[in-house]
């Protein structure tokens, strides 16, 4: 097996193993219901994490994701409350806004040669600020179309349901995998992660690719915001705080190197599942407090970093000199 | 000596100008801004307020500067603040003396720094990931200590640290002033500063030149942890309680921003603690200014983002090149061609 | 002005200036179809500038470029590539994290229905590499292959993209003899296909082995273009440096050192890097280390200096067993080490020349005992003067200095610690001939002062010039030691060759 699949394999194995352990303790966890809920509850995070995967593969980072999700939710709530436009039109409008927002950050990162960390941090302030300006209250969304969308689901044997948003997340992952591995854009993303200067010399359109990567992340953050507003039926400017951190964690647990250039979109899905599994387990247990989630995820993150470190060290025993 | 003072001022000039502009702008919109009064032997006024409110970020920025100079970053400081706030609150409420409480809390901060430092220096993990671990887990640990609740305390000694005053200045200001000067002195009057910069620019070459790189790196993260511990104590003392959920939340980002506004490159190397402190004060001045200027508070973040982007754009390499284009050669790639002669 | 149809590429009266200097002064350069044309000159002569003008990395200030008789004006390297001019650099400019096939076809992957057709791409990649006698698993990451193979992949990509002119900028710098031979086979084959090939190198033997013509630049001006067969080595060096320095390097070797035995390494080594070896070094002696690339030369240096801790054997200084398990420990015993890879392991780029010079001394004193600024200035000025480091002032960031001056500054860093045992790994690699001679002289003067030196060099004649003994390495072992009269270029080459024959048999 090629060494680059090792982290992904390890992620999958850990997921299967921990799922098996959970089931051993609580046999009820082996049901399509649990799986369906896992998909639904993590749909918005998963969609945002796909965008984050592309950003991280290219060697960047996007801290604005959570704020953009909140902005999207508030925007939809305000628009649907105060105007009579159809939610679908509002969806299109907000996706256009978030995509443009991402593209703008990409353009600043590339053209002003500023670190992505700082630019997207400013973007986070800006998006959160826009959400505040729209409304500082939590606004419920009561549009009938929302109820329709929420009632759509695909019934699994065993009583589980794949809801619209859960299915949408799987679809986004499928498209993400295809884009990453079967398009020139995807290869260019990996190329940027391998080294911007070299990629440029090899003719990769660095400016265009960078802008598209952040635009994609903006688009998916917007989509994630729509999903989040469907999930919560509300828009609140203080919502989704720290989602970017969860997304980054999922990406790293999924076996993608934070330095860029190496990793898989599919791994991120498993990373999402692992995080979801921990939460589900704690819910099932009932006696554990919620902070154990954070500590466990932190430990898991640590374990994965060590694992990746070990793999890298094994593959290159010691640097070869002349 | 005068020339050193001049180069020092030259280094801080952009930050000083930015601060002057911001303060002037606020005082035009809000005329009472520059007023200072003395009540009960203590200074009051918006300017003092800025220095006081800014204390946690200033402290975090001091440690963050040194970490960033080593080509690192410390994302965990906000979480460490929460841990340390929780530790001090739980110790003081369980009957330990103030001195014990403070010492143990500082030790916990140092321990957090050692953990980060070992991950970075010994296990050779990328700083942003290494400190992400504690950032994610740290708040959980803090909640574990406070058991999810806000742990309040009534010890007057501990509260004094947050709201007392000394020589007319609020205690937090006194603390960061003294601590900042102390760190700056230690760093610049010894060879530490140069060695840190050398490690930040080229770790391998520095190690081969005999610099004790791992210890230096660990020391940088320990300093950062210590700063976070002090900031955590101040934040807890200020609200007379430890809030594991919100103490220091997102302050790591503010601290990083302060360092960047202070002109220290995220790529490591040259650093200035004074400039970072100014950067933190600038950020706090923006916050306070927006509040005072009568803008609806909803606009805070947007205005802050706009001002920060403006400052950063001024500092961006591309923008600087555009200005110095005439005097700078384009040959960034291989200057050897020219220099050899 | 000749622009006959034999020329695939003609550069006429190319001018390029940087503030304060004229990097290229009306330089003419003509490349024929099917020739290998060596472009030579000291660092700073204008080779890189000329290449950058040809490939559009720099905008030239004047002059014209004709490709296949038609005037071209490449905007950037990518544009030049499209026009037919491909470049391969010393540091392979490919992406290690992409597969071999992706590297070959980046930006032009075959597509079906808008998706990249990976299977077709891999098949094409295999076909393309077959022309270079390479049979690789093209779906593996490029990083899993050696530098030499990466180099060939880079050439394959450049030729496939460009197909008219191939520029090889120091392609052999990090290859061993076998790999160079493989590379040259490929170059000859491309030449036979009618490509014009520009070859830049520091290795004169390789110039004579592969090139048809030689163009020499000096100080931004064209010195001349000659047929390789008509130009002997001495004349070539004279063209490059403009003075008869060649004789200096071949100066009579001094007699065997008589200093007392100070350093004694027994069974010293580290598993996986260098097999245990014995080594004795006297005071006032230069021990040269010779061997092919990858024979364990740098590994020997690193283990001696503690950069990689020895896991066997013992080290003695003046009869006392010492611990040399880290650079700091070695430095305590007055060791110094100038590494081969100046950029990554030597200079601290953003810091000033002054700080770079005092770094090792300051590190040894510890952070609590800082050198005062006045003391730092004094040291820096002293060595800038003594070693003739050419820099505008001591506060200039060292990364802005030329390679030779950087090397001198790193030497100064160690001399400032007043070392007694100095390890120099390829001290003259990649620096111009003038600085080269100065460093050779410096090595000799340090030896005269009683220092013990270990010098690693791939330039055998240089080793002959200053070594009192030469240790020959092969396959990570010390296999021979030559002393006295046996130190001749011929004998060293024989020893290396003999070692390799044994390996072959």
């Amino acid at each position: 097996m090629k060494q680059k699949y090792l982290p992904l394999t390890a992620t999958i194995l850990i997921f299967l193993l921990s799922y098996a352990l959970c089931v051993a303790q609580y046999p009820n966890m082996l049901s399509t219901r649990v799986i369906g809920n896992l998909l639904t509850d993590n749909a918005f995070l998963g969609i945002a994490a796909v965008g984050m995967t592309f950003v991280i593969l290219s060697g960047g980072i996007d801290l604005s994701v959570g704020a953009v999700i909140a902005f999207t939710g508030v925007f939809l709530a305000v628009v649907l409350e105060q105007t009579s436009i159809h939610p679908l039109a509002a969806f299109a409008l907000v996706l256009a806004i978030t995509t443009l927002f991402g593209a703008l950050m990409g353009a600043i990162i590339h053209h002003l040669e500023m670190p992505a960390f700082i630019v997207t941090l400013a973007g986070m302030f800006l998006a959160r600020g826009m959400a505040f300006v729209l409304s500082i209250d939590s606004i419920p969304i009561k549009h009938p179309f929302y109820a329709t969308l929420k009632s759509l689901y695909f019934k699994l044997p065993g009583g589980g349901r794949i809801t619209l948003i859960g299915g949408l997340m799987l679809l986004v992952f499928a498209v993400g995998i295809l884009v990453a591995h079967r398009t020139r854009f995807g290869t260019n993303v990996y190329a940027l992660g391998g080294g911007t200067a070299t990629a440029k010399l090899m003719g990769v359109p660095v400016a265009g690719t960078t802008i598209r990567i952040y635009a994609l992340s903006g688009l998916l953050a917007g989509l994630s915001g729509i999903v989040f507003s469907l999930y919560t039926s509300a828009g609140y400017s203080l919502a989704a705080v720290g989602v970017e951190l969860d997304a980054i964690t999922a990406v790293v647990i999924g076996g993608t190197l934070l330095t860029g250039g190496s990793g898989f979109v599919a791994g991120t899905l498993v990373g999402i599942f692992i995080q979801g599994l921990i939460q589900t387990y704690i819910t099932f247990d009932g006696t554990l407090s919620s902070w154990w989630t954070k500590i466990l995820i932190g430990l898991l993150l640590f374990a994965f970093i060590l694992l990746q470190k070990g793999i890298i060290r094994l593959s290159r025993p010691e640097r070869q000199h002349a | 000596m005068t020339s050193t003072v001049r180069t020092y001022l030259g280094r801080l000039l952009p930050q000083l100008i930015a601060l002057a502009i911001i303060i002037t702008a606020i005082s035009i919109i809000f005329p009472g801004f520059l007023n200072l009064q003395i009540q009960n032997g203590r200074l009051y006024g918006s300017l003092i307020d800025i220095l006081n409110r800014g204390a946690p970020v200033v402290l975090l920025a001091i440690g963050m500067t040194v970490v960033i100079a080593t080509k690192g970053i410390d994302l965990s400081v906000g979480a460490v603040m929460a841990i340390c706030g929780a530790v001090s609150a739980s110790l003081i409420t369980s009957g330990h003396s103030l001195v014990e409480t403070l010492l143990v809390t500082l030790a916990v901060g140092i321990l957090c720094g050692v953990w980060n430092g070992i991950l970075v220096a010994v296990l050779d993990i990328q700083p942003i990931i290494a400190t992400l671990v504690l950032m994610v887990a740290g708040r959980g640990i803090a909640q574990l200590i406070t058991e999810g609740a806000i742990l309040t305390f009534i010890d007057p000694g501990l509260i004094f640290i947050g709201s007392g005053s000394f020589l007319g200045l609020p205690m937090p200001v006194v603390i960061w002033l003294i601590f900042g000067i102390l760190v700056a002195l230690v760093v610049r009057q010894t060879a530490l500063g140069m060695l840190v910069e050398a490690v930040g620019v080229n770790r391998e070459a520095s190690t081969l030149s005999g610099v004790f790189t791992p210890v230096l790196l660990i020391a940088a993260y320990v300093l950062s942890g210590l700063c976070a511990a002090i900031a955590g104590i101040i934040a807890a003392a200020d609200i007379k309680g430890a809030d594991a959920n919100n103490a220091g939340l997102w302050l790591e980002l503010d601290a990083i921003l302060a360092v960047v506004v202070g002109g220290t490159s995220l790529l490591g190397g040259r650093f200035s603690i004074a400039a970072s402190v100014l950067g933190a004060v600038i950020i706090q001045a923006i916050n306070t200014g927006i509040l005072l200027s009568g803008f609806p508070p909803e606009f805070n973040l947007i205005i802050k983002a706009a001002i920060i982007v403006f400052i950063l754009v001024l500092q961006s390499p591309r923008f600087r090149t555009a200005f110095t284009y005439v005097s700078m050669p384009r040959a960034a790639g291989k200057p050897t061609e020219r220099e050899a002669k | 002005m000749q622009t006959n149809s034999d020329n695939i590429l003609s550069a006429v009266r190319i001018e390029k200036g940087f503030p304060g200097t004229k990097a290229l002064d009306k330089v003419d350069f003509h490349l024929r179809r099917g020739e290998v044309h060596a472009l030579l000159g000291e660092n700073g002569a204008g080779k890189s500038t000329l290449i950058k003008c040809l490939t559009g990395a720099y905008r030239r200030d004047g002059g014209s470029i004709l490709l296949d008789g038609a005037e071209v004006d490449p905007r950037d390297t990518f544009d030049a590539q499209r026009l037919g001019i491909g470049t391969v650099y010393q540091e392979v400019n490919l992406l290690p994290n992409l597969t071999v096939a992706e590297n070959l076809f980046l930006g032009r992957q075959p597509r079906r229905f808008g998706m990249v057709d990976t299977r077709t791409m891999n098949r094409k990649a295999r076909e393309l590499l077959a022309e270079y006698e390479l049979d690789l698993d093209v779906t593996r990451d490029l990083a899993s292959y050696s530098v030499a193979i990466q180099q060939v992949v880079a050439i394959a990509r450049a030729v496939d993209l460009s197909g008219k002119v191939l520029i090889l900028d120091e392609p052999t710098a990090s290859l061993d003899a076998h790999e160079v031979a493989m590379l040259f086979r490929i170059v000859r084959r491309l030449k036979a296909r009618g490509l014009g090939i520009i070859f830049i190198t520091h290795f004169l033997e390789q110039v004579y082995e592969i090139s048809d013509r030689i163009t020499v630049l000096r100080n931004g001006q064209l010195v001349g273009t000659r047929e390789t067969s008509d130009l002997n080595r001495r004349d070539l060096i004279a063209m490059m440096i403009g003075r008869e320095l060649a004789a200096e390097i071949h100066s009579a070797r001094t007699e065997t050192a008589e200093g007392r035995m100070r350093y004694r390494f027994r069974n010293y080594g580290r598993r996986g890097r260098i097999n245990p070896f014995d080594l004795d070094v006297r005071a006032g002696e230069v021990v040269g280390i010779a061997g092919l690339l990858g024979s364990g030369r740098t590994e020997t240096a690193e283990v001696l200096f503690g950069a990689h801790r020895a896991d066997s054997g013992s080290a003695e200084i003046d009869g006392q067993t010492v611990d040399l398990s880290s650079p700091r420990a070695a430095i305590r015993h007055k060791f110094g080490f100038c590494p081969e890879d100046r950029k990554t392991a030597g200079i601290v780029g953003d810091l000033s020349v002054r700080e770079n010079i005092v770094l090792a001394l300051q590190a040894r004193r510890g952070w609590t005992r800082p050198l005062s600024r006045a003391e730092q200035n004094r040291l820096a000025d002293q060595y800038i003067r003594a070693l003739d480091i050419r820099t505008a002032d001591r506060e200039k960031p060292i990364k802005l200095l030329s390679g030779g001056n950087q090397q001198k500054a790193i030497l100064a860093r160690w001399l400032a610690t007043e070392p007694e045992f100095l390890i120099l790994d390829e001290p003259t690699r990649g620096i111009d001939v003038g600085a080269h001679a100065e460093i050779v002289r410096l090595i000799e003067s340090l030896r005269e002062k009683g220092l013990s030196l270990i010098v690693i060099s791939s330039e055998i004649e240089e080793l002959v010039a200053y070594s009192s003994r030469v240790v020959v390495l092969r396959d990570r072992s010390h296999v021979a030691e030559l002393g006295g009269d046996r130190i001749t270029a011929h004998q060293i080459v024989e020893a290396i060759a003999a070692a390799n024959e044994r390996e072959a048999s």
Side-chain angles (χ1 to χ4, degrees), chain A residues 256-273:
Chain A
T256 299
L257 287 183
L258 252 185
T259 35
S262 164
F264 299 94
V265 175
T268 303
L269 181 61
V270 187
I272 294 280
F273 282 160

Side-chain angles (χ1 to χ4, degrees), chain C residues 56 84 88 99 114 123 138 142 148 157 281 325 396 473:
Chain C
V88 173
T99 68
R123 181 174 50 77
V138 296
L142 185 74
R157 176 182 160 90
V281 188
S325 58
K396 191 168 184 168
L473 268 64

Side-chain angles (χ1 to χ4, degrees), chain A residues 91-138:
Chain A
F91 290 170
L93 189 62
V94 79
L95 287 181
I97 295 174
T98 60
T99 308
L100 264 177
F101 180 73
L104 185 69
M105 289 195 297
I108 292 177
I109 290 167
H110 176 78
H111 290 295
L112 294 179
E113 293 169 20
M114 278 159 57
F117 191 90
I118 294 296
V119 174
T120 58
L121 178 59
M124 163 177 152
F125 290 157
L126 196 64
R128 192 69 71 182
M130 293 300 288
F132 278 128
V133 170
L134 287 175
S135 169
I136 47 173
D137 303 314
S138 175

Side-chain angles (χ1 to χ4, degrees), chain A residues 43-49 65 69 72 95 168 218-230 243:
Chain A
F44 75 97
L45 178 60
I47 292 170
V65 171
I69 293 174
T72 307
L95 287 181
L168 187 62
L219 171 73
L220 290 176
L223 190 61
S224 165
I226 294 173
V227 165
F228 191 69
S229 80
L230 277 168
V243 166

Side-chain angles (χ1 to χ4, degrees), chain C residues 423-487:
Chain C
I423 305 163
L424 309 179
D425 192 356
E426 296 281 8
T428 57
R429 164 167 292 182
I431 66 180
D432 61 78
V433 180
H436 190 144
E438 287 174 42
I439 285 173
V440 170
R441 272 197 296 272
L442 183 68
I443 290 171
E444 290 178 339
S445 80
L446 290 174
R447 186 201 57 206
E448 280 159 19
K449 282 188 191 138
L451 263 72
S452 307
L453 292 104
I454 301 269
V455 184
I456 297 166
S457 178
S458 35
E459 302 211 16
I460 289 171
E461 282 161 3
E462 190 185 300
L463 285 178
V464 172
Y466 48 62
S467 306
S468 53
R469 276 180 296 139
V470 173
V471 175
V472 177
L473 268 64
R474 188 256 309 168
D475 218 9
R476 302 187 182 272
S477 294
H478 290 211
V479 291
E481 188 176 310
L482 308 174
D485 294 342
R486 292 182 61 215
I487 303 184

Side-chain angles (χ1 to χ4, degrees), chain C residues 227-248:
Chain C
E227 297 289 330
T228 306
S229 49
D230 298 344
L231 183 65
N232 70 37
R233 196 173 287 232
R234 185 167 294 260
D235 292 342
L236 173 59
I237 294 177
M239 279 174 82
M240 285 166 67
I241 61 175
R243 58 198 138 114
E244 286 290 339
L245 194 119
E248 246 176 286

Side-chain angles (χ1 to χ4, degrees), chain C residues 184-201:
Chain C
F184 281 2
R185 269 203 307 282
I186 287 166
V187 168
R188 289 197 185 94
R189 192 182 306 188
L190 292 173
K191 176 176 136 177
R193 272 168 51 177
L195 261 79
I197 296 164
I198 303 176
F199 180 57
I200 300 173
T201 184

